[in-house]
Amino acid sequence: GREFDPNEDGWVVDGDGNGIELGPLGGTTSGGMIPGTTSGGGQSGAAPAPDVPPPTPAPVPDDALLATLKQAYYDDFYASRGQSFVDTSTLPLLSENNVGTPGKPQRTATAQWRAYRYLSSRSDVWDASSGTVTMDVERLLQVYALKVFYLTFEWSVVGDDECAWPGVTCRGLGVHADDSEVGEDDLRVVGLSVRGDVSAADRRGPDLVGEMPLELAFLIHLEQIDLSHNRLDGELRGEVLGWKNVRVIELNDNLLSGKIPPELGQATQLTKLTLHHNLFSGTIPPSLCDLRSDRSLHFLWVDCSPDAAAGGTAKVRCPVADCCTICFEGYSPDLYGTYESKVVDGTKHAVSADRMSELKTRLVQASADHGTKLLDVSTPEFRAYAWLVEDARSGPDGGDYGDDRLLRRYALSSVYFSAGGGHWLRRDGWLTPQDECDWEGVSGCDGGGSAVTGLDLKENKLKGEIAPEVMFLPDLAVLNMVSNDLIGPIPREIGRLTKLSVLELAENHLTSIPSEVGLLTGLDHAFLQSNDFGGQIMPPEVCALRPDPLTLLWADCNGDEPVLVCPDDCCTTCFTNGVSEDGTEGYFAGTDGAVVPLDQDSAVLDMLRRMSLDDGASLEDHTSPQYKAYNWMVQNGELGDPTDALVLQRYALTTLYFSTAGHGWVDQVGWLTGKNVCLWQGIDECDAEGIVTGMDLTSTGLV
């Protein structure tokens, strides 16, 4: 009648190696049975019959760590779901004598037992002297589940930080207001991605062969899981899929069989489910179709297209219209090999409600590669297209978008899929029926067909490449993707953004600058420092934009072997790719390695440092508005007597401009020009000395 305490109640092992639970009153239940049940006809704790040999003496009780793990199995797979939901053999999986799942290679110990032994060796998990569990139970189960996963598929992992293990993404989940306060114990696993179609170096392990371990259910905060393109087999067990917050499940291109479990319909946050190219059969569960009708599940990809090799019968049936968004024919294991898990070339697919592919035809005609990526089901472009089909079906305007708006939503969704949008820190509104102008980071438009003029995704955990489809935002004036994890070249298509005035791509891993940047004849600022350009010479077409219109061009052009070689008078500020260096005469070096020209005798800089609330720290941070304002004034000869109130006023207004994305303002006439500040748009009043006494920037688009 009392609550189970893993440090008091225990488990023992009898002479045959069977697990026996010690009941709260000293009785036992037979090996492997769930609490409260007995076997063998005897009452728990009853004396043996005279003709029955006495039990083996002195059984060894389970330690508190093992008892905690067994209790987690009971809580998750028995108590919460009913005793018959999972076979009672689940609990003895933690027995050292268990030699593995039937039909699998036998081992001296299961992955579960090896994971337990690993945990028991960690001092931050288990205090051997007191016999107590010292780690938070939720995190303990998180580490245990991941360790079982990797051991099941014979992967080796390095270190004890589970968030650094291959394919794992962790987040603090709002435990602290400031991310800097998040400790290791606060981090929870929100993503697991172990695709089989990436290089071995990236994957750091073999293909996943076998069944998905039950223990993945212990990752209770999981939001995204991608185990596609492997050799997972067996049935997809519903009890593994109890993730309440999961949004993306990608299990396509495996050998999973049986029925699609109805438990998937309980994942009410699910937006994407890909199960195609497997061996599933039967009908899509109604619970999944309900998620489609609620418009929360955007992608449902299964093998529901009639298969000519199977006599025109679909492997999986969709019971109602618009339930499945993409139908594939699947593949035959007899034809493509027992473990063939790759997408078969030429695999046919159909998109429901596509109006005979008119939408795809329009996108193919508009794309720079004539639709090559759009026709490949594994690309971000195809995923964006599939979402757009669904979006057009369920949009607030009944999908009646004009061409410009269709391309705009396609461009933004391509950016989302290409840069790992599911893991962004800020993504409110993205991939919803909301007007794209209301998506977080999109600015400069007010809906109703207005153009997107600003895209601010700085410090947002973007990971991947810059989608070339950004070219479908022709009115874009500001593109800010600073401080992310973007890789690959800056796309050549960026040259089509002829209205772009600010390009901020610093602090990424971009590899090349295309000459097409020189086509941006309205470009005023380009911040490209702290990237991996590998000694590239700045394209002469870009240098030709200096000094008019390009007033600020920042790059890694400092040092004996610069990451980017800048000809004389091309780059205005040179960095050492994050390495701080001493300044030379006429310059000062910021803490991030930036080399910035000084004003005469550095008098203004000294004044600004003394006046600042942070002792001048912002003036040495090249991402700060203060740094950008001071740098612009030095480059344009706007500095003079540090005691001159007009100089400080100009600095203040310029800082305001950079603080609020000035190049995305609706009206910015006069700003950042040599004109008197009293003539800058929004400056309403100045006194006889030229001091601003009135300013009105209402409805200007400050962000």
Side-chain angles (χ1 to χ4, degrees):
R2 60 185 174 84
E3 186 175 352
F4 177 85
D5 184 346
N7 289 317
E8 295 181 8
D9 300 316
W11 294 69
V12 299
V13 180
D14 67 16
D16 297 323
N18 297 313
I20 302 176
E21 183 198 6
L22 294 178
L25 299 179
T28 64
T29 58
S30 66
M33 299 298 289
I34 60 175
T37 64
T38 61
S39 66
Q43 285 289 336
S44 174
D51 57 344
V52 178
T56 303
V60 180
D62 286 352
D63 58 45
L65 174 59
L66 189 55
T68 298
L69 296 176
K70 288 184 175 181
Q71 184 67 25
Y73 282 98
Y74 174 74
D75 290 342
D76 272 26
F77 306 121
Y78 288 85
S80 63
R81 300 170 187 260
Q83 295 181 5
S84 63
F85 193 87
V86 178
D87 192 284
T88 55
S89 62
T90 298
L91 292 181
L93 284 175
L94 285 167
S95 167
E96 188 173 9
N97 295 326
N98 189 296
V99 292
T101 306
K104 303 295 179 186
Q106 292 198 350
R107 294 170 289 195
T108 57
T110 63
Q112 290 81 1
W113 180 262
R114 291 155 68 194
Y116 154 68
R117 296 300 299 165
Y118 160 76
L119 289 172
S120 66
S121 69
R122 287 179 51 170
S123 59
D124 62 331
V125 173
W126 167 249
D127 184 350
S129 61
S130 63
T132 58
V133 175
T134 56
M135 180 177 282
D136 173 78
V137 173
E138 189 174 280
R139 186 182 172 212
L140 169 70
L141 294 177
Q142 169 176 288
V143 178
Y144 173 70
L146 289 173
K147 196 67 176 178
V148 169
F149 174 80
Y150 291 114
L151 289 171
T152 296
F153 299 114
E154 300 298 335
W155 279 40
S156 60
V157 295
V158 178
D160 291 335
D161 179 6
E162 71 275 18
C163 295
W165 291 350
V168 175
T169 301
C170 293
R171 197 168 65 242
L173 299 179
V175 176
H176 300 284
D178 185 351
D179 285 344
S180 64
E181 299 177 1
V182 176
E184 195 174 63
D185 288 337
D186 300 322
L187 294 172
R188 293 295 179 262
V189 173
V190 295
L192 180 61
S193 178
V194 186
R195 295 172 61 97
D197 60 347
V198 298
S199 67
D202 292 334
R203 193 169 64 252
R204 289 184 281 175
D207 280 357
L208 309 182
V209 180
E211 298 183 9
M212 290 174 59
L214 184 72
E215 289 73 16
L216 288 177
F218 293 149
L219 302 177
I220 61 174
H221 295 289
L222 202 65
E223 297 176 3
Q224 183 166 351
I225 182 168
D226 185 354
L227 305 181
S228 62
H229 297 272
N230 282 290
R231 301 179 183 181
L232 297 174
D233 57 23
E235 294 189 2
L236 186 57
R237 300 173 64 178
E239 57 266 37
V240 181
L241 309 171
W243 308 303
K244 301 300 183 185
N245 301 318
V246 71
R247 299 192 313 274
V248 177
I249 300 177
E250 297 183 79
L251 299 175
N252 54 282
D253 294 275
N254 280 289
L255 295 166
L256 298 168
S257 58
K259 309 293 185 183
I260 295 175
E263 287 81 5
L264 284 167
Q266 298 174 10
T268 56
Q269 304 299 313
L270 193 62
T271 62
K272 180 179 181 181
L273 175 62
T274 61
L275 301 175
H276 58 284
H277 293 150
N278 275 290
L279 303 176
F280 290 117
S281 60
T283 303
I284 297 293
S287 58
L288 269 179
C289 294
D290 290 342
L291 294 183
R292 290 280 299 132
S293 62
D294 292 340
R295 298 182 177 179
S296 59
L297 181 58
H298 296 303
F299 301 112
L300 178 55
W301 299 3
V302 293
D303 296 322
C304 51
S305 183
D307 184 0
T313 302
K315 291 183 173 64
V316 177
R317 295 183 298 278
C318 297
V320 296
D322 294 332
C323 180
C324 305
T325 57
I326 304 285
C327 283
F328 295 82
E329 286 187 2
Y331 63 84
S332 168
D334 296 330
L335 180 60
Y336 296 112
T338 304
Y339 286 129
E340 173 58 50
S341 64
K342 311 304 178 189
V343 176
V344 179
D345 290 340
T347 297
K348 296 179 180 179
H349 59 270
V351 182
S352 61
D354 194 4
R355 304 173 186 168
M356 301 178 66
S357 296
E358 291 180 4
L359 174 57
K360 183 187 291 183
T361 299
R362 292 159 67 186
L363 296 176
V364 167
Q365 292 172 346
S367 65
D369 64 355
H370 306 291
T372 300
K373 293 181 179 178
L374 184 60
L375 299 177
D376 181 348
V377 297
S378 65
T379 63
E381 287 79 4
F382 183 87
R383 295 182 179 187
Y385 156 68
W387 171 79
L388 193 59
V389 169
E390 171 64 15
D391 176 58
R393 180 183 75 87
S394 59
D397 299 326
D400 188 18
Y401 301 135
D403 284 353
D404 290 344
R405 192 172 178 199
L406 273 174
L407 290 177
R408 218 166 39 237
R409 291 176 79 80
Y410 174 62
L412 291 170
S413 56
S414 294
V415 169
Y416 181 91
F417 287 113
S418 186
H423 294 295
W424 291 359
L425 295 177
R426 300 177 301 279
R427 56 178 183 270
D428 287 352
W430 285 77
L431 300 194
T432 69
Q434 286 182 238
D435 193 298
E436 63 275 14
C437 295
D438 295 327
W439 295 0
E440 191 165 8
V442 178
S443 62
C445 56
D446 56 6
S450 297
V452 170
T453 60
L455 185 58
D456 184 357
L457 299 174
K458 65 178 179 292
E459 299 176 350
N460 202 26
K461 289 198 173 182
L462 277 66
K463 186 172 184 178
E465 299 184 355
I466 301 175
E469 287 71 27
V470 72
M471 69 179 183
F472 293 135
L473 302 173
D475 295 288
L476 200 64
V478 177
L479 177 60
N480 189 342
M481 295 181 171
V482 166
S483 299
N484 285 293
D485 196 15
L486 295 171
I487 61 174
I490 298 173
R492 303 166 67 93
E493 290 79 6
I494 204 166
R496 298 192 185 186
L497 301 177
T498 56
K499 296 183 181 179
L500 196 67
S501 58
V502 172
L503 178 63
E504 298 199 36
L505 300 176
E507 297 183 358
N508 282 287
H509 300 286
L510 300 169
T511 55
S512 67
I513 302 171
S515 60
E516 283 78 4
V517 173
L519 299 175
L520 304 177
T521 55
L523 190 63
D524 186 83
H525 302 160
F527 304 143
L528 306 174
Q529 71 276 12
S530 298
N531 275 290
D532 300 331
F533 294 129
Q536 177 188 356
I537 298 175
M538 181 69 77
E541 294 85 354
V542 178
C543 292
L545 298 177
R546 288 275 301 128
D548 186 19
L550 188 55
T551 59
L552 297 178
L553 177 57
W554 298 359
D556 300 318
C557 47
N558 192 50
D560 295 333
E561 296 182 0
V563 174
L564 189 78
V565 178
C566 244
D568 292 342
D569 300 325
C570 183
C571 296
T572 60
T573 301
C574 284
F575 294 75
T576 318
N577 204 21
V579 178
S580 182
E581 293 194 0
D582 294 332
T584 57
E585 183 178 356
Y587 292 83
F588 82 90
T591 55
D592 52 15
V595 179
V596 185
L598 289 168
D599 58 281
Q600 186 176 6
D601 299 324
S602 71
V604 174
L605 180 61
D606 290 341
M607 172 65 76
L608 296 178
R609 282 172 169 164
R610 289 196 300 270
M611 294 177 60
S612 66
L613 298 177
D614 60 4
D615 296 322
S618 57
L619 285 162
E620 296 190 10
D621 175 5
H622 75 265
T623 65
S624 73
Q626 291 83 0
Y627 178 102
K628 295 174 183 177
Y630 173 78
N631 190 290
W632 177 84
M633 293 181 72
V634 172
Q635 294 292 334
N636 290 273
E638 298 288 341
L639 296 178
D641 185 350
T643 63
D644 188 346
L646 296 180
V647 172
L648 300 179
Q649 174 176 269
R650 204 170 190 84
Y651 168 74
L653 290 171
T654 306
T655 302
L656 171 65
Y657 181 90
F658 283 111
S659 295
T660 56
H663 275 75
W665 292 358
V666 175
D667 195 343
Q668 52 188 272
V669 174
W671 287 79
L672 268 61
T673 68
K675 294 180 179 179
N676 188 311
V677 298
C678 296
L679 301 177
W680 291 6
Q681 181 66 35
I683 305 300
D684 286 350
E685 297 178 12
C686 288
D687 64 16
E689 303 298 325
I691 300 298
V692 175
T693 58
M695 180 167 59
D696 184 2
L697 296 175
T698 304
S699 302
T700 304
L702 279 69
V703 178

